[in-house]
Amino acid sequence: MTPGEVVIMMETVFHSDDLPPAERLARFDAFQVDSPHPMRVESGEPARFSATARALDLAAVNVVELTCSPSDVRRTPRLIRRCDPELYSVVFALRGGLGVVQDAREAELGPFDFALYDSSRPFDVKIAGDRGTAALVRAHVPRALLPLPADRSAALMAVPLPGREGVGSLLTQFLTSLTTDSAAYRPADAPRLGTVALDLLTAVLAHHLEADARVPDDSRQRALLLRIEAFVQQHLHDPELSPGAIAAAHHISVSYLHRLFRARDDTVAAWIRDQRLERARRDLTDGTLRTVPVHRIAARWGFPDHATFTRAFRTAYDLPPRDYRRQALESPA
């Protein structure tokens, strides 16, 4: 980012420590009631209540990280009549316990399991603390932007879904990374990141509804690309990573893999090389790794041949890796 450039990042929208203890629960309840998605908040220990909410708007998708005391968050028929933005919400706990109740179903969520709920019907989100507080991630997604029938998707509301494996893990990892990444994004990144969230949620719903035939081709392809990219990121260290290995791991042909990347004006090999170079560049600018030889950093990211790495790095960053490292570590910034 250049000085003075406009950026977007997680913003603290509520912080109870700024308020007298006696007012914290009431003010957080008012904050939720006055939101575009009104809810009520209750707690068994109002005098000890605390809450901090951080939010990131990605065009149509809104992501929130909430840390708070044990409480119940309820959306009642009266609040639905008052305002209904017609959203699906994805929620999962980072710490503590979480339960979602809707349509006579109750999902008790384990670590990184997630659940969905619908703003158009009453729900209750039960937040249980871990040593006093819980932490959760919630994303609001407009129903109208998901290309799946609402009547079928309703069957997945308040159902525990696995978030540690498969496409569900891609969704929870992506949303978590948005809340934990300290990097700032440009405004133009917001709709792109929102599209990623929508595609991942579409893939999750399609997977659990076995409705892939109803998912538009472009959404299926974007979701497949996201799975491929996650696979590549996990195997960048492997010098044997190749288009053939990637295609086999995703049960597609090598020619189809190449077509997916051509559609975004890239090649598989070039994208893998760029990802490896970027990981190596980050390591070279990390002061804690200053004693690690350059050739070991290169090998760590899938470049067993040092000369090949040096040529590729110089082409990408205009400096040999040793000079780049020295310049970066000597810079006051």
Side-chain angles (χ1 to χ4, degrees), residues 299-315:
R300 177 184 183 184
W301 295 115
F303 289 101
D305 181 73
H306 183 61
T308 299
F309 168 70
T310 299
R311 286 194 300 271
F313 191 95
R314 185 168 191 163
T315 299

Side-chain angles (χ1 to χ4, degrees), residues 89-152:
S89 294
V90 180
V91 65
F92 56 92
L94 300 175
R95 184 179 70 251
L98 193 61
V100 178
V101 181
Q102 188 169 64
D103 293 340
R105 291 190 294 266
E106 181 170 359
E108 294 290 340
L109 304 181
F112 278 92
D113 287 346
F114 65 97
L116 305 167
Y117 55 91
D118 187 340
S119 71
S120 299
R121 300 196 296 281
F123 64 75
D124 184 1
V125 176
K126 300 176 182 293
I127 303 171
D130 180 7
R131 295 186 299 276
T133 61
L136 61 90
V137 174
R138 184 273 297 150
H140 285 330
V141 178
R143 283 202 312 263
L145 297 183
L146 293 171
L148 290 166
D151 58 339
R152 298 200 65 202

